[in-house]
Amino acid sequence: MHPVAVCENERFRDKIVGKHRGFSSILRGAYEYTKRQRGIRAANVQLREIDEQLQAEGLPFPATMDLDEVRMMADGCAQSCTGIKNAKFVSQSEGRIAVIGSQRPASFEDTLTEIITYIESFGLSWPVKITRNDTAETIQKKNESAIARVCCAKWWRRKLKTRYSRQVESVAIQLGCVRQGKSPYVSDWYFERWKGQQRKNRALIESMEMEEATTGEMVPMEAAVDASPSNPEIRRDELMVRIRGFEEIADAMELRGLFLTLTCPSKYHAWKKSGQPNPKYQGYTPKQASDYLCQVWARIRADWNRKGIRCFGFRVCEPHHDGTPHWHLMLFFCRNDLESAKRIFSDYALHEDGFELGAKEYRSEIVEIDPAKGTAAGYIAKYISKNIDAHGVDADFEGGVTGEEGAARVRAWASLWGIRQFQQIGCASVTVWRELRRRREPLEEWEPEEAEAIREAADDGDWAKFVELMGGAFSGRDDQKLRALYIEKPEPNTYQEEVKRIIGLVMRGAGRMIRTRFKVWIVHHNVGAGANYEAGEKRAAAPPVLDLCQ
């Protein structure tokens, strides 16, 4: 190639790559690979197409912008919505939001329409869910709260960060940067961003303290967080206690266990384990694949219900090496329902693209749990640990990394795509379980005697006994002895919405409240620890940011 053409080609490449600073190494690698395989022209065309895919919708900036730039954009978008709410029209000029008009809209409906149009220009949805039971007055209140929400910069930060991160990650998946041998589960670009955000979140927690509203008692915020289920160790231990309890219940009832695996069709998988692209891949994101699995599961549960097949157990959602999710389920059934349950599960797993090559072999897997070969908890324990903190897991063979790194990458993957990793299927309410474990001291004499037995089972960590006393493994939520009791806070939230908080439990039929939360905590920024969070930021003048009921 002529030297002049080479220089022009390099300038073209560097101009585009330079726009995406944090993503530049991925772009440069993809460009060089395509150039070696298919030539410079193909590499240039691909780079231009990728650049278009990385354009942030609604803004003259790339979606690869850093979080500080997202924050700045969010502030501007919130100001624009405020301008519309205040009956002014806005426009964008060189990437900056500017209020340029003063004409007053004719009505609230006109303002609402204009704000919704502005929100949708960013590819976002209006944050209102209308139900069939909503009255005109209720819908009006919801829309007013939504207007207040979109005028808040924090709302925009969350939405823009999620949307643009997913947009960039989708490109990384297409380029083969999310797979075994490269960067399993999530791209290095997002993984580094996630780890940085985790460090900031931890520093923020360490810079805050909790004050009891009545006594003035002070507790470090980090102590409260570390003692909650958000602590990976506590979360794992609680899940294992419940799983072992399920097994005890199943043994007592002479139920049979199944270990089920549900996987997406080939068109949802971007890359093969061999490192080769999947020719059947149709550009689906992990979020869309997760939605597909949820739809299949809903159909399976509906068919089971129609045929009177009941079950309880646990579900774990984890990613394949390329980020495509799949499910593992440990479920217990009555012996007479076992064959029908297996047939229905297999049929719905193959309902979409069921005739493609390998569908019957890979789309679903059903294993009957054999007590002689190990406990039911043993079948799922490694999936629990692998997807939380890698306790007892040295290596992640799916991702080809250490267990610790694999667990961190899975948590980042779940955070990015909004995927629920663990879900209890059926049985007693875990909310009631957690609330009773708050109440260490015995219930008062005037409180229901039966409730004290349930509290003792929860306090002892005996999930099987707790479930039995609550009404049994197959009892519906409306038939369980205790339910959570919520009350409305006296003041609405920032968006003028009514907020409920849990204060205790109530026993059905008894009509008496069992108090589990006795203190109201106000969260403050700790002036002394503020420097650990963000240097130079003034914390002394910061007002209380949250009130909690414990």
Side-chain angles (χ1 to χ4, degrees):
M1 181 179 290
H2 194 278
V4 174
V6 172
C7 291
E8 290 180 352
N9 182 74
E10 290 179 349
R11 282 196 296 269
F12 167 80
R13 177 199 62 196
D14 293 342
K15 180 180 179 181
I16 292 180
V17 171
K19 290 167 56 179
H20 309 281
R21 295 187 298 275
F23 204 66
S24 59
S25 61
I26 292 177
L27 289 180
R28 192 177 295 275
Y31 180 86
E32 295 300 327
Y33 177 81
T34 304
K35 186 173 72 172
R36 289 193 304 269
Q37 297 294 319
R38 298 162 51 198
I40 291 180
R41 180 179 178 82
N44 288 342
V45 170
Q46 181 191 58
L47 186 61
R48 185 182 296 110
E49 291 175 348
I50 293 173
D51 182 47
E52 293 175 356
Q53 292 177 43
L54 292 175
Q55 177 63 42
E57 188 172 359
L59 290 171
F61 296 99
T64 51
M65 69 181 85
D66 61 37
L67 294 180
D68 289 336
E69 291 172 323
V70 172
R71 179 186 292 266
M72 183 181 67
M73 292 300 103
D75 292 344
C77 292
Q79 292 175 16
S80 295
C81 289
T82 302
I84 299 174
K85 185 184 73 171
N86 294 335
K88 297 180 180 180
F89 293 97
V90 301
S91 72
Q92 294 180 1
S93 176
E94 299 179 353
R96 296 186 177 183
I97 310 299
V99 178
I100 62 171
S102 60
Q103 180 180 350
R104 180 172 297 277
S107 64
F108 172 81
E109 286 72 20
D110 291 339
T111 302
L112 181 63
T113 299
E114 189 168 353
I115 291 182
I116 292 177
T117 301
Y118 180 76
I119 298 296
E120 291 177 344
S121 71
F122 292 86
L124 302 177
S125 300
W126 183 240
V128 168
K129 184 177 181 180
I130 305 298
T131 66
R132 64 179 63 183
N133 296 325
D134 285 339
T135 63
E137 182 181 358
T138 302
I139 295 174
Q140 173 80 5
K141 289 182 178 179
K142 285 186 175 182
N143 282 323
E144 289 174 354
S145 297
I147 290 176
R149 193 177 295 274
V150 301
C151 290
C152 175
K154 290 183 179 179
W155 182 86
W156 278 98
R157 290 171 198 165
R158 290 192 297 269
K159 292 297 182 179
L160 293 182
K161 184 177 72 172
T162 298
R163 174 162 181 77
Y164 295 148
S165 293
R166 291 180 180 179
Q167 182 178 345
V168 175
E169 189 72 3
S170 297
V171 173
I173 291 173
Q174 294 174 24
L175 294 177
C177 298
V178 181
R179 59 183 174 88
Q180 188 186 76
K182 283 280 189 177
S183 175
Y185 311 137
V186 292
S187 67
D188 288 335
W189 173 83
Y190 182 77
F191 189 47
E192 291 302 319
R193 174 176 285 199
W194 177 82
K195 288 192 294 185
Q197 189 62 50
Q198 294 298 300
R199 289 191 293 268
K200 281 192 71 174
N201 291 347
R202 186 64 188 184
L204 174 60
I205 290 171
E206 292 174 353
S207 72
M208 304 175 81
E209 57 188 4
M210 301 167 59
E211 178 184 1
E212 209 286 313
T214 305
T215 64
E217 175 189 359
M218 303 297 292
V219 176
M221 185 70 172
E222 60 183 308
V225 172
D226 291 342
S228 73
S230 61
N231 182 329
E233 184 177 353
I234 293 177
R235 187 184 186 193
R236 170 172 46 79
D237 289 344
E238 184 195 74
L239 287 171
M240 292 309 302
V241 165
R242 288 153 62 193
I243 289 172
R244 284 193 295 269
F246 279 140
E247 188 171 16
E248 292 174 14
I249 296 169
D251 289 342
M253 298 178 64
E254 297 184 348
L255 303 180
R256 297 294 299 274
L258 293 180
F259 188 74
L260 309 166
T261 301
L262 183 64
T263 306
C264 295
S266 182
K267 63 186 178 183
Y268 290 91
H269 299 262
W271 293 83
K272 300 178 180 180
K273 289 289 288 284
S274 63
Q276 298 299 314
N278 177 18
K280 296 182 180 180
Y281 179 57
Q282 297 184 12
Y284 289 102
T285 67
K287 176 62 175 175
Q288 291 169 320
S290 177
D291 292 342
Y292 161 81
L293 293 173
C294 290
Q295 291 172 3
V296 173
W297 176 240
R299 296 188 184 108
I300 293 171
R301 290 296 300 275
D303 205 345
W304 282 350
N305 289 336
R306 284 193 295 268
K307 292 177 172 58
I309 299 174
R310 298 183 297 176
C311 67
F312 62 86
F314 251 97
R315 171 190 67 78
V316 178
C317 180
E318 65 171 1
H320 288 292
H321 69 107
D322 64 349
T324 307
H326 63 285
W327 285 11
H328 299 293
L329 302 104
M330 183 193 73
L331 301 175
F332 296 97
F333 301 83
C334 295
R335 291 176 180 271
N336 295 337
D337 294 333
L338 207 61
E339 293 304 318
S340 296
K342 291 193 291 186
R343 178 182 52 77
I344 292 170
F345 184 86
S346 297
D347 288 347
Y348 280 100
L350 296 172
H351 184 73
E352 185 172 327
D353 298 341
F355 296 103
E356 67 179 359
L357 184 64
K360 291 184 178 180
E361 182 180 1
Y362 298 110
R363 193 71 63 78
S364 67
E365 183 179 359
I366 302 175
V367 177
E368 289 195 34
I369 297 176
D370 185 356
K373 296 181 179 180
T375 64
Y379 279 80
I380 201 169
K382 65 177 181 180
Y383 298 104
I384 297 290
S385 182
K386 176 186 171 184
N387 290 282
I388 294 182
D389 60 356
H391 176 74
V393 179
D394 296 327
D396 182 340
F397 297 106
E398 174 69 22
V401 293
T402 64
E404 184 177 357
E405 181 181 350
R409 284 183 172 274
V410 169
R411 294 199 306 273
W413 166 84
S415 173
L416 170 61
W417 297 109
I419 292 174
R420 185 177 181 180
Q421 292 178 270
F422 310 102
Q423 182 181 16
Q424 178 178 309
I425 308 298
C427 233
S429 168
V430 70
T431 299
V432 173
W433 163 271
R434 289 172 178 167
E435 287 301 308
L436 288 174
R437 287 178 62 82
R438 286 175 171 271
R439 181 76 178 258
R440 294 296 184 182
E441 67 280 1
L443 302 184
E444 302 294 341
E445 294 180 357
W446 59 269
E447 293 175 303
E449 182 177 347
E450 192 175 0
E452 171 58 17
I454 301 176
R455 189 205 66 80
E456 286 183 353
D459 192 42
D460 292 339
D462 191 339
W463 177 261
K465 186 176 181 181
F466 168 78
V467 170
E468 178 186 356
L469 295 175
M470 281 282 287
F474 292 127
S475 62
R477 286 298 171 94
D478 292 339
D479 299 323
Q480 293 174 15
K481 300 295 180 62
L482 294 172
R483 64 174 178 83
L485 178 62
Y486 296 85
I487 64 169
E488 289 185 1
K489 289 186 176 182
E491 299 293 334
N493 65 10
T494 306
Y495 311 122
Q496 298 304 304
E497 297 170 321
E498 294 180 348
V499 179
K500 293 183 178 181
R501 69 182 184 190
I502 188 170
I503 62 169
L505 306 169
V506 64
M507 175 161 275
R508 301 181 193 277
R512 290 180 177 177
M513 182 185 73
I514 302 169
R515 192 72 179 265
T516 58
R517 304 195 182 205
F518 299 91
K519 299 178 180 180
V520 175
W521 297 90
I522 300 174
V523 179
H524 294 276
H525 290 289
N526 186 337
V527 178
N532 295 332
Y533 171 58
E534 194 167 323
E537 191 156 355
K538 297 180 180 179
R539 298 294 182 192
V545 295
L546 185 65
D547 67 283
L548 304 172
C549 182
Q550 179 174 310

PDB file of all heavy atoms in Angstrom, residues 217-241:
ATOM      1  N   GLU A 217     -28.119   6.946  69.864  1.00  0.00           N
ATOM      2  CA  GLU A 217     -27.093   5.906  69.706  1.00  0.00           C
ATOM      3  C   GLU A 217     -26.502   5.976  68.292  1.00  0.00           C
ATOM      4  O   GLU A 217     -27.219   6.107  67.312  1.00  0.00           O
ATOM      5  CB  GLU A 217     -27.721   4.535  69.948  1.00  0.00           C
ATOM      6  CG  GLU A 217     -26.788   3.364  69.688  1.00  0.00           C
ATOM      7  CD  GLU A 217     -27.510   2.030  69.724  1.00  0.00           C
ATOM      8  OE1 GLU A 217     -28.743   2.024  69.969  1.00  0.00           O
ATOM      9  OE2 GLU A 217     -26.851   1.005  69.500  1.00  0.00           O
ATOM     10  N   MET A 218     -25.166   5.864  68.189  1.00  0.00           N
ATOM     11  CA  MET A 218     -24.480   5.949  66.907  1.00  0.00           C
ATOM     12  C   MET A 218     -23.882   4.594  66.544  1.00  0.00           C
ATOM     13  O   MET A 218     -23.265   3.923  67.377  1.00  0.00           O
ATOM     14  CB  MET A 218     -23.369   6.998  66.958  1.00  0.00           C
ATOM     15  CG  MET A 218     -23.837   8.388  67.359  1.00  0.00           C
ATOM     16  SD  MET A 218     -25.018   9.120  66.185  1.00  0.00           S
ATOM     17  CE  MET A 218     -23.961   9.366  64.771  1.00  0.00           C
ATOM     18  N   VAL A 219     -24.073   4.176  65.300  1.00  0.00           N
ATOM     19  CA  VAL A 219     -23.539   2.915  64.799  1.00  0.00           C
ATOM     20  C   VAL A 219     -22.923   3.168  63.424  1.00  0.00           C
ATOM     21  O   VAL A 219     -23.551   3.816  62.576  1.00  0.00           O
ATOM     22  CB  VAL A 219     -24.642   1.845  64.677  1.00  0.00           C
ATOM     23  CG1 VAL A 219     -24.097   0.562  64.055  1.00  0.00           C
ATOM     24  CG2 VAL A 219     -25.269   1.558  66.026  1.00  0.00           C
ATOM     25  N   PRO A 220     -21.702   2.679  63.162  1.00  0.00           N
ATOM     26  CA  PRO A 220     -21.121   2.832  61.816  1.00  0.00           C
ATOM     27  C   PRO A 220     -21.981   2.120  60.774  1.00  0.00           C
ATOM     28  O   PRO A 220     -22.462   1.002  60.993  1.00  0.00           O
ATOM     29  CB  PRO A 220     -19.747   2.170  61.947  1.00  0.00           C
ATOM     30  CG  PRO A 220     -19.451   2.149  63.402  1.00  0.00           C
ATOM     31  CD  PRO A 220     -20.776   2.015  64.092  1.00  0.00           C
ATOM     32  N   MET A 221     -22.181   2.762  59.648  1.00  0.00           N
ATOM     33  CA  MET A 221     -22.999   2.180  58.592  1.00  0.00           C
ATOM     34  C   MET A 221     -22.405   0.860  58.097  1.00  0.00           C
ATOM     35  O   MET A 221     -23.136  -0.088  57.786  1.00  0.00           O
ATOM     36  CB  MET A 221     -23.101   3.160  57.415  1.00  0.00           C
ATOM     37  CG  MET A 221     -24.022   2.722  56.308  1.00  0.00           C
ATOM     38  SD  MET A 221     -25.749   2.768  56.816  1.00  0.00           S
ATOM     39  CE  MET A 221     -26.577   2.453  55.266  1.00  0.00           C
ATOM     40  N   GLU A 222     -21.103   0.765  58.035  1.00  0.00           N
ATOM     41  CA  GLU A 222     -20.476  -0.450  57.526  1.00  0.00           C
ATOM     42  C   GLU A 222     -20.797  -1.655  58.410  1.00  0.00           C
ATOM     43  O   GLU A 222     -20.905  -2.779  57.915  1.00  0.00           O
ATOM     44  CB  GLU A 222     -18.970  -0.256  57.406  1.00  0.00           C
ATOM     45  CG  GLU A 222     -18.270   0.075  58.709  1.00  0.00           C
ATOM     46  CD  GLU A 222     -16.783   0.330  58.504  1.00  0.00           C
ATOM     47  OE1 GLU A 222     -16.118  -0.523  57.888  1.00  0.00           O
ATOM     48  OE2 GLU A 222     -16.299   1.378  58.959  1.00  0.00           O
ATOM     49  N   ALA A 223     -20.956  -1.431  59.734  1.00  0.00           N
ATOM     50  CA  ALA A 223     -21.284  -2.537  60.630  1.00  0.00           C
ATOM     51  C   ALA A 223     -22.671  -3.088  60.308  1.00  0.00           C
ATOM     52  O   ALA A 223     -22.892  -4.306  60.338  1.00  0.00           O
ATOM     53  CB  ALA A 223     -21.220  -2.075  62.077  1.00  0.00           C
ATOM     54  N   ALA A 224     -23.617  -2.193  60.013  1.00  0.00           N
ATOM     55  CA  ALA A 224     -24.974  -2.633  59.678  1.00  0.00           C
ATOM     56  C   ALA A 224     -24.996  -3.374  58.348  1.00  0.00           C
ATOM     57  O   ALA A 224     -25.684  -4.386  58.192  1.00  0.00           O
ATOM     58  CB  ALA A 224     -25.912  -1.427  59.632  1.00  0.00           C
ATOM     59  N   VAL A 225     -24.242  -2.875  57.366  1.00  0.00           N
ATOM     60  CA  VAL A 225     -24.201  -3.523  56.050  1.00  0.00           C
ATOM     61  C   VAL A 225     -23.562  -4.900  56.146  1.00  0.00           C
ATOM     62  O   VAL A 225     -24.054  -5.878  55.568  1.00  0.00           O
ATOM     63  CB  VAL A 225     -23.443  -2.631  55.048  1.00  0.00           C
ATOM     64  CG1 VAL A 225     -23.213  -3.372  53.732  1.00  0.00           C
ATOM     65  CG2 VAL A 225     -24.213  -1.347  54.787  1.00  0.00           C
ATOM     66  N   ASP A 226     -22.464  -5.001  56.900  1.00  0.00           N
ATOM     67  CA  ASP A 226     -21.756  -6.279  57.013  1.00  0.00           C
ATOM     68  C   ASP A 226     -22.570  -7.328  57.763  1.00  0.00           C
ATOM     69  O   ASP A 226     -22.295  -8.521  57.645  1.00  0.00           O
ATOM     70  CB  ASP A 226     -20.411  -6.070  57.723  1.00  0.00           C
ATOM     71  CG  ASP A 226     -19.431  -5.286  56.863  1.00  0.00           C
ATOM     72  OD1 ASP A 226     -19.643  -5.213  55.637  1.00  0.00           O
ATOM     73  OD2 ASP A 226     -18.454  -4.739  57.417  1.00  0.00           O
ATOM     74  N   ALA A 227     -23.556  -6.890  58.547  1.00  0.00           N
ATOM     75  CA  ALA A 227     -24.394  -7.834  59.288  1.00  0.00           C
ATOM     76  C   ALA A 227     -25.673  -8.190  58.542  1.00  0.00           C
ATOM     77  O   ALA A 227     -26.510  -8.920  59.069  1.00  0.00           O
ATOM     78  CB  ALA A 227     -24.752  -7.245  60.653  1.00  0.00           C
ATOM     79  N   SER A 228     -25.829  -7.711  57.320  1.00  0.00           N
ATOM     80  CA  SER A 228     -27.049  -7.937  56.543  1.00  0.00           C
ATOM     81  C   SER A 228     -26.800  -8.965  55.443  1.00  0.00           C
ATOM     82  O   SER A 228     -25.650  -9.335  55.162  1.00  0.00           O
ATOM     83  CB  SER A 228     -27.503  -6.616  55.916  1.00  0.00           C
ATOM     84  OG  SER A 228     -26.633  -6.256  54.839  1.00  0.00           O
ATOM     85  N   PRO A 229     -27.859  -9.439  54.772  1.00  0.00           N
ATOM     86  CA  PRO A 229     -27.685 -10.398  53.669  1.00  0.00           C
ATOM     87  C   PRO A 229     -26.895  -9.847  52.484  1.00  0.00           C
ATOM     88  O   PRO A 229     -26.563 -10.613  51.576  1.00  0.00           O
ATOM     89  CB  PRO A 229     -29.132 -10.726  53.256  1.00  0.00           C
ATOM     90  CG  PRO A 229     -29.935 -10.479  54.483  1.00  0.00           C
ATOM     91  CD  PRO A 229     -29.279  -9.303  55.143  1.00  0.00           C
ATOM     92  N   SER A 230     -26.603  -8.553  52.452  1.00  0.00           N
ATOM     93  CA  SER A 230     -25.756  -8.019  51.386  1.00  0.00           C
ATOM     94  C   SER A 230     -24.306  -8.458  51.559  1.00  0.00           C
ATOM     95  O   SER A 230     -23.510  -8.361  50.625  1.00  0.00           O
ATOM     96  CB  SER A 230     -25.837  -6.486  51.354  1.00  0.00           C
ATOM     97  OG  SER A 230     -25.380  -5.925  52.569  1.00  0.00           O
ATOM     98  N   ASN A 231     -23.962  -8.931  52.759  1.00  0.00           N
ATOM     99  CA  ASN A 231     -22.655  -9.531  52.999  1.00  0.00           C
ATOM    100  C   ASN A 231     -22.638 -10.898  52.310  1.00  0.00           C
ATOM    101  O   ASN A 231     -23.454 -11.761  52.620  1.00  0.00           O
ATOM    102  CB  ASN A 231     -22.424  -9.687  54.506  1.00  0.00           C
ATOM    103  CG  ASN A 231     -21.065 -10.267  54.843  1.00  0.00           C
ATOM    104  OD1 ASN A 231     -20.493 -11.046  54.101  1.00  0.00           O
ATOM    105  ND2 ASN A 231     -20.549  -9.883  55.999  1.00  0.00           N
ATOM    106  N   PRO A 232     -21.721 -11.138  51.354  1.00  0.00           N
ATOM    107  CA  PRO A 232     -21.727 -12.401  50.607  1.00  0.00           C
ATOM    108  C   PRO A 232     -21.685 -13.640  51.490  1.00  0.00           C
ATOM    109  O   PRO A 232     -22.361 -14.641  51.204  1.00  0.00           O
ATOM    110  CB  PRO A 232     -20.469 -12.299  49.734  1.00  0.00           C
ATOM    111  CG  PRO A 232     -20.239 -10.835  49.572  1.00  0.00           C
ATOM    112  CD  PRO A 232     -20.672 -10.218  50.868  1.00  0.00           C
ATOM    113  N   GLU A 233     -20.918 -13.597  52.569  1.00  0.00           N
ATOM    114  CA  GLU A 233     -20.815 -14.765  53.447  1.00  0.00           C
ATOM    115  C   GLU A 233     -22.148 -15.065  54.122  1.00  0.00           C
ATOM    116  O   GLU A 233     -22.588 -16.215  54.185  1.00  0.00           O
ATOM    117  CB  GLU A 233     -19.731 -14.536  54.497  1.00  0.00           C
ATOM    118  CG  GLU A 233     -19.490 -15.734  55.394  1.00  0.00           C
ATOM    119  CD  GLU A 233     -18.354 -15.512  56.375  1.00  0.00           C
ATOM    120  OE1 GLU A 233     -17.666 -14.479  56.260  1.00  0.00           O
ATOM    121  OE2 GLU A 233     -18.170 -16.374  57.265  1.00  0.00           O
ATOM    122  N   ILE A 234     -22.814 -14.008  54.627  1.00  0.00           N
ATOM    123  CA  ILE A 234     -24.119 -14.196  55.265  1.00  0.00           C
ATOM    124  C   ILE A 234     -25.153 -14.656  54.241  1.00  0.00           C
ATOM    125  O   ILE A 234     -25.992 -15.525  54.517  1.00  0.00           O
ATOM    126  CB  ILE A 234     -24.564 -12.898  55.954  1.00  0.00           C
ATOM    127  CG1 ILE A 234     -23.641 -12.589  57.142  1.00  0.00           C
ATOM    128  CG2 ILE A 234     -26.012 -12.976  56.400  1.00  0.00           C
ATOM    129  CD1 ILE A 234     -23.957 -11.301  57.847  1.00  0.00           C
ATOM    130  N   ARG A 235     -25.084 -14.087  53.059  1.00  0.00           N
ATOM    131  CA  ARG A 235     -26.024 -14.464  52.006  1.00  0.00           C
ATOM    132  C   ARG A 235     -25.873 -15.939  51.646  1.00  0.00           C
ATOM    133  O   ARG A 235     -26.866 -16.664  51.516  1.00  0.00           O
ATOM    134  CB  ARG A 235     -25.765 -13.592  50.768  1.00  0.00           C
ATOM    135  CG  ARG A 235     -26.775 -13.757  49.657  1.00  0.00           C
ATOM    136  CD  ARG A 235     -26.368 -12.918  48.466  1.00  0.00           C
ATOM    137  NE  ARG A 235     -27.367 -12.930  47.423  1.00  0.00           N
ATOM    138  CZ  ARG A 235     -27.155 -12.487  46.188  1.00  0.00           C
ATOM    139  NH1 ARG A 235     -25.970 -11.976  45.869  1.00  0.00           N
ATOM    140  NH2 ARG A 235     -28.104 -12.529  45.286  1.00  0.00           N
ATOM    141  N   ARG A 236     -24.635 -16.388  51.509  1.00  0.00           N
ATOM    142  CA  ARG A 236     -24.392 -17.791  51.171  1.00  0.00           C
ATOM    143  C   ARG A 236     -24.859 -18.717  52.292  1.00  0.00           C
ATOM    144  O   ARG A 236     -25.510 -19.737  52.037  1.00  0.00           O
ATOM    145  CB  ARG A 236     -22.903 -17.999  50.892  1.00  0.00           C
ATOM    146  CG  ARG A 236     -22.502 -19.463  50.761  1.00  0.00           C
ATOM    147  CD  ARG A 236     -21.061 -19.600  50.287  1.00  0.00           C
ATOM    148  NE  ARG A 236     -20.156 -18.738  51.000  1.00  0.00           N
ATOM    149  CZ  ARG A 236     -19.674 -18.977  52.226  1.00  0.00           C
ATOM    150  NH1 ARG A 236     -20.057 -20.068  52.875  1.00  0.00           N
ATOM    151  NH2 ARG A 236     -18.832 -18.143  52.804  1.00  0.00           N
ATOM    152  N   ASP A 237     -24.536 -18.367  53.526  1.00  0.00           N
ATOM    153  CA  ASP A 237     -24.926 -19.206  54.652  1.00  0.00           C
ATOM    154  C   ASP A 237     -26.448 -19.319  54.760  1.00  0.00           C
ATOM    155  O   ASP A 237     -26.985 -20.406  55.024  1.00  0.00           O
ATOM    156  CB  ASP A 237     -24.349 -18.650  55.955  1.00  0.00           C
ATOM    157  CG  ASP A 237     -22.842 -18.841  56.045  1.00  0.00           C
ATOM    158  OD1 ASP A 237     -22.300 -19.644  55.273  1.00  0.00           O
ATOM    159  OD2 ASP A 237     -22.208 -18.162  56.888  1.00  0.00           O
ATOM    160  N   GLU A 238     -27.141 -18.196  54.555  1.00  0.00           N
ATOM    161  CA  GLU A 238     -28.604 -18.237  54.650  1.00  0.00           C
ATOM    162  C   GLU A 238     -29.201 -19.121  53.565  1.00  0.00           C
ATOM    163  O   GLU A 238     -30.117 -19.919  53.818  1.00  0.00           O
ATOM    164  CB  GLU A 238     -29.186 -16.826  54.546  1.00  0.00           C
ATOM    165  CG  GLU A 238     -30.701 -16.804  54.728  1.00  0.00           C
ATOM    166  CD  GLU A 238     -31.346 -15.514  54.286  1.00  0.00           C
ATOM    167  OE1 GLU A 238     -31.446 -15.292  53.064  1.00  0.00           O
ATOM    168  OE2 GLU A 238     -31.738 -14.732  55.162  1.00  0.00           O
ATOM    169  N   LEU A 239     -28.679 -19.006  52.338  1.00  0.00           N
ATOM    170  CA  LEU A 239     -29.180 -19.840  51.249  1.00  0.00           C
ATOM    171  C   LEU A 239     -28.965 -21.318  51.543  1.00  0.00           C
ATOM    172  O   LEU A 239     -29.846 -22.155  51.306  1.00  0.00           O
ATOM    173  CB  LEU A 239     -28.481 -19.459  49.942  1.00  0.00           C
ATOM    174  CG  LEU A 239     -28.897 -18.122  49.307  1.00  0.00           C
ATOM    175  CD1 LEU A 239     -27.971 -17.775  48.148  1.00  0.00           C
ATOM    176  CD2 LEU A 239     -30.338 -18.166  48.827  1.00  0.00           C
ATOM    177  N   MET A 240     -27.807 -21.666  52.084  1.00  0.00           N
ATOM    178  CA  MET A 240     -27.521 -23.070  52.369  1.00  0.00           C
ATOM    179  C   MET A 240     -28.397 -23.598  53.503  1.00  0.00           C
ATOM    180  O   MET A 240     -28.814 -24.762  53.473  1.00  0.00           O
ATOM    181  CB  MET A 240     -26.045 -23.239  52.713  1.00  0.00           C
ATOM    182  CG  MET A 240     -25.097 -22.998  51.536  1.00  0.00           C
ATOM    183  SD  MET A 240     -25.537 -23.950  50.054  1.00  0.00           S
ATOM    184  CE  MET A 240     -25.481 -25.615  50.668  1.00  0.00           C
ATOM    185  N   VAL A 241     -28.684 -22.769  54.504  1.00  0.00           N
ATOM    186  CA  VAL A 241     -29.584 -23.177  55.581  1.00  0.00           C
ATOM    187  C   VAL A 241     -30.962 -23.508  55.014  1.00  0.00           C
ATOM    188  O   VAL A 241     -31.580 -24.528  55.368  1.00  0.00           O
ATOM    189  CB  VAL A 241     -29.687 -22.074  56.647  1.00  0.00           C
ATOM    190  CG1 VAL A 241     -30.877 -22.323  57.576  1.00  0.00           C
ATOM    191  CG2 VAL A 241     -28.407 -22.012  57.468  1.00  0.00           C
TER     192      VAL A 241
END
